[in-house]
Amino acid sequence: MTLNPAHTALWSAPHASGAVDATVHVPGSKSVTNRALVLAALASEPGWLRRPLRSRDTLLMAGALRELGVGIEEGVGPDGTGEFWRVIPAGLRGPATVDVGNAGTVMRFLPPVATLADGPVRFDGDPRSYERPLHGVIDALRALGARIDDDGRGALPLTVHGGGALEGGPVAIDASSSSQFVSALLLSGPRFNQGVEVRHTGTALPSMPHIRMTVDMLRAVGAQVDTPESGGEPNVWRVTAGALLGRDLTIEPDLSNAQPFLAAALVTGGKVTIPEWPARTTQPGDRLREIFTEMGGSCELTDYGLVFTGSGAVHGIDVDLSEVGELTPGIAAVAALADSPSTLRGVSHLRLHETDRLAALTKEINELGGDVTETADGLHIRPRQLHGGTFHTYEDHRMATAGAILGLAVKDVVIENVATTAKTLPDFPGLWTGMLGA
């Protein structure tokens, strides 16, 4: 196989010569953009997405919906700023082929949508996508009446034979390996004939903020949703069948993608401002205010945005990250630079993400001289004097940004395939060097 040159290219991570002092405009949220695209595509009238994220994952979602017959028009506001997408719902059609890349939201959110298409829809993607769990969605859709060919793998590639409708109703699934299994069924649930009732039967459910994000966004477009938080049964979510409204939605900045920039303030004893940080949000990245403050920083949420300031010291932390697992790589990088040990818990599900993040972080930090031990459900990190070397990313965007954080404090760190950050954060190298004044 011929490798994409970007996969083998090496990028010298910039070393900070002093305290960072910068304002960084972080692009829109991937999680919000891709949920908004699905809901707009299933609505009964056109809708608008303003300031959507344009990254590999969101462009894959938009491209997949276009393959299914949805109109998505792109434009820019009259003043030359404020990019928007206008989404025009249509009858979903097949046959179609969907490229999911390695995007969990695309591979999990769209098979339920495909059951509503008039014809077969084939799903395929990157080699790593074949290893990521999809059984929760496949088994649930079959229980609800869908016909899916996956040769018994419970994973990609697969074909959904859309019948133009799905009966829906109650279904039990084990979503302990990914909360996206629940979100996938809820997002399309209003279009099922009987709606959907999703009952989680497994152990602890990871990334609960992402399910709350799904519920909030469904309610914002007119769906009736009953949840455990609203007085329903524990681990049960119900969505009533009904029409979805087209909305005019402005996408929030991606708070998880703000992580490396806040980490830069923490590890250099500097200050970083993230404009338009929302005062209320369901994004997991909002936990960074609490976590990075405990690790030695301070923050102030103003009308302009979030101002985060490092104290010049970085402290270890003992923290349960089960609800915010995507933040683990960046926290691990900061912890490797701290003045005391850290324990990161509740994230065994990260072994099934873009790569096995626990194994990858352990290997890469240790190869720079660190002392990281993998535990049953996370990492134990003992700070050591680190040295330069090549930091491999395994085509995982959050591994690349974790390596860049380490490079701020450790000379001669080289990131392999920094281009993988385009999955959710376009032009990360440009934003990073711009923050440093380069």
Side-chain angles (χ1 to χ4, degrees):
M1 184 178 80
T2 302
L3 285 175
N4 183 325
H7 294 179
T8 55
L10 299 177
W11 181 67
S12 295
H15 183 70
S17 58
V20 168
D21 187 355
T23 296
V24 181
H25 292 266
V26 176
S29 164
K30 176 207 74 174
S31 297
V32 174
T33 298
N34 274 356
R35 283 166 172 77
L37 280 169
V38 171
L39 292 173
L42 296 176
S44 59
E45 57 192 347
W48 300 79
L49 275 63
R50 301 191 186 274
R51 287 187 290 190
L53 175 67
R54 287 182 55 86
S55 71
R56 188 186 185 213
D57 278 17
T58 60
L59 293 175
L60 284 167
M61 180 68 85
L65 292 171
R66 287 186 176 114
E67 279 286 310
L68 293 170
V70 177
I72 301 178
E73 300 174 350
E74 303 183 40
V76 176
D79 59 354
T81 61
E83 184 173 332
F84 65 81
W85 288 348
R86 184 169 184 255
V87 182
I88 305 166
L92 300 173
R93 66 181 182 223
T97 299
V98 168
D99 175 12
V100 309
N102 191 18
T105 51
V106 182
M107 71 179 73
R108 292 165 183 150
F109 292 177
L110 288 189
V113 175
T115 66
L116 306 172
D118 185 14
V121 181
R122 177 171 171 78
F123 290 83
D124 208 339
D126 297 352
R128 171 62 181 173
S129 71
Y130 294 6
E131 303 172 29
R132 301 186 67 182
L134 201 53
H135 54 86
V137 174
I138 294 170
D139 294 347
L141 291 176
R142 283 184 175 139
L144 294 172
R147 179 182 157 209
I148 301 174
D149 293 336
D150 69 334
D151 293 332
R153 288 181 302 269
L156 292 170
L158 59 85
T159 299
V160 177
H161 295 272
L166 193 70
E167 192 59 23
V171 65
I173 62 170
D174 180 353
S176 53
S177 60
S178 177
S179 69
Q180 289 177 351
F181 295 167
V182 174
S183 288
L185 297 167
L186 299 182
L187 287 168
S188 291
R191 289 285 303 271
F192 299 161
N193 293 342
Q194 296 184 37
V196 72
E197 176 188 285
V198 181
R199 183 180 299 272
H200 167 59
T201 60
T203 55
L205 191 58
S207 304
M208 277 298 298
H210 279 124
I211 295 180
R212 290 193 282 270
M213 176 187 293
T214 298
V215 169
D216 279 7
M217 293 184 69
L218 276 161
R219 288 172 173 161
V221 295
Q224 179 179 329
V225 189
D226 296 320
T227 71
E229 293 86 354
S230 61
E233 296 178 61
N235 291 325
V236 177
W237 293 262
R238 295 184 182 88
V239 179
T240 302
L244 299 178
L245 305 173
R247 291 297 198 200
D248 190 330
L249 175 67
T250 299
I251 306 296
E252 298 173 352
D254 194 312
L255 307 187
S256 294
N257 278 341
Q259 181 182 37
F261 306 102
L262 300 181
L266 185 56
V267 303
T268 69
K271 181 175 74 173
V272 168
T273 300
I274 308 292
E276 299 177 16
W277 191 288
R280 178 192 173 276
T281 181
T282 52
Q283 287 193 61
D286 197 43
R287 274 280 305 278
L288 288 167
R289 292 192 287 159
E290 169 196 336
I291 293 168
F292 278 173
T293 295
E294 187 174 342
M295 296 186 81
S298 62
C299 65
E300 181 185 7
L301 189 58
T302 70
D303 290 341
Y304 181 70
L306 182 72
V307 181
F308 187 85
T309 307
S311 63
V314 181
H315 308 311
I317 190 171
D318 185 330
V319 62
D320 183 342
L321 298 175
S322 57
E323 291 203 344
V324 293
E326 66 196 54
L327 304 179
T328 302
I331 293 169
V334 173
L337 303 170
D339 58 14
S340 57
S342 293
T343 299
L344 313 184
R345 296 178 283 105
V347 287
S348 59
H349 60 286
L350 294 191
R351 295 186 170 98
L352 302 171
H353 276 218
E354 281 81 346
T355 188
D356 179 341
R357 285 178 170 164
L358 300 184
L361 287 163
T362 300
K363 179 177 182 292
E364 297 307 315
I365 295 174
N366 286 351
E367 288 194 353
L368 298 182
D371 185 358
V372 181
T373 304
E374 204 174 328
T375 67
D377 72 338
L379 300 171
H380 186 63
I381 302 168
R382 304 168 193 81
R384 294 287 185 269
Q385 185 67 41
L386 302 182
H387 55 71
T390 300
F391 193 93
H392 300 90
T393 62
Y394 309 90
E395 299 187 37
D396 184 337
H397 55 130
R398 300 208 191 278
M399 287 295 296
T401 53
I405 293 167
L406 292 169
L408 289 174
V410 181
K411 290 184 177 179
D412 302 321
V413 172
V414 177
I415 312 294
E416 169 259 348
N417 187 18
V418 74
T420 195
T421 52
K423 175 179 169 67
T424 61
L425 187 52
D427 193 29
F428 168 73
L431 286 171
W432 196 247
T433 54
M435 172 192 68
L436 294 169

